Every structure is written in C-alpha cells, then in structure tokens.
Amino acid sequence: KGLRWIIGSDSDVLFWTNNWCTQEPLSAHAINDICDESTKVVYFILPDGIWNIRKLKEVLPDYLIQSIVSIPIPDPGTQDKIV
C-alpha cells in the first residue's frame, strides 16, 4: 500500500489497474465502461512523446487528465519503476 509506479518509455504499466497516477486504480474514475484492463499507459502517449489528450478525454474526467498531463513523459530507454 502506498506504492506507485513511475512509467518508463516502453511502459508495461497497466493504465486502469496499476497505481501510477493516483492512490487507487484509475478504473475507479472511468467515465464509461470501456475499461480494458490490459490497456497500457503507453496507449495514451503519442509517437512524438506527448500525452494523447483526445484519448484521455474519452475515458477520464478533466481533473484527472490535468494530473496525468503534468506527469513528464520519460526519455527513451527509461524503465518502469515502483516507488
């Protein structure tokens, strides 16, 4: 409890079920029922290394999107780690 993921550039962190952004899984905040538990965080990152806000807006409320986009995208080659 209290542990969080820091995402890497080729992240295997699961978007909906791993605690990488909040103290609880993001699935608790989804605005619809389209929570595929196998979706990884990298699905929401564009190829040029920025957050895909359009995709985020489809599934999460604005207050969480603001938190997510404040998280820096890691440099290429950075590994996931838990803190």
Side-chain angles (χ1 to χ4, degrees):
K1 188 168 179 158
L3 297 177
R4 259 177 55 164
W5 282 98
I6 294 178
I7 58 167
S9 59
D10 295 322
S11 182
D12 286 325
V13 174
L14 298 173
F15 185 82
W16 294 112
T17 57
N18 290 136
N19 296 355
W20 65 275
C21 179
T22 63
Q23 294 291 339
E24 62 188 349
L26 285 177
S27 58
H29 302 278
I31 60 173
N32 57 42
D33 293 332
I34 309 176
C35 295
D36 177 355
E37 291 186 1
S38 67
T39 302
K40 296 181 179 178
V41 172
V42 294
Y43 174 76
F44 294 92
I45 299 174
L46 294 168
D48 58 352
I50 61 172
W51 291 104
N52 188 328
I53 295 173
R54 182 188 55 80
K55 282 185 180 179
L56 291 169
K57 284 183 177 277
E58 292 173 1
V59 295
L60 290 171
D62 286 339
Y63 73 92
L64 272 178
I65 294 169
Q66 291 172 2
S67 294
I68 291 171
V69 300
S70 71
I71 298 170
I73 303 294
D75 293 329
T78 305
Q79 299 293 315
D80 296 329
K81 65 180 175 180
I82 198 161
V83 293

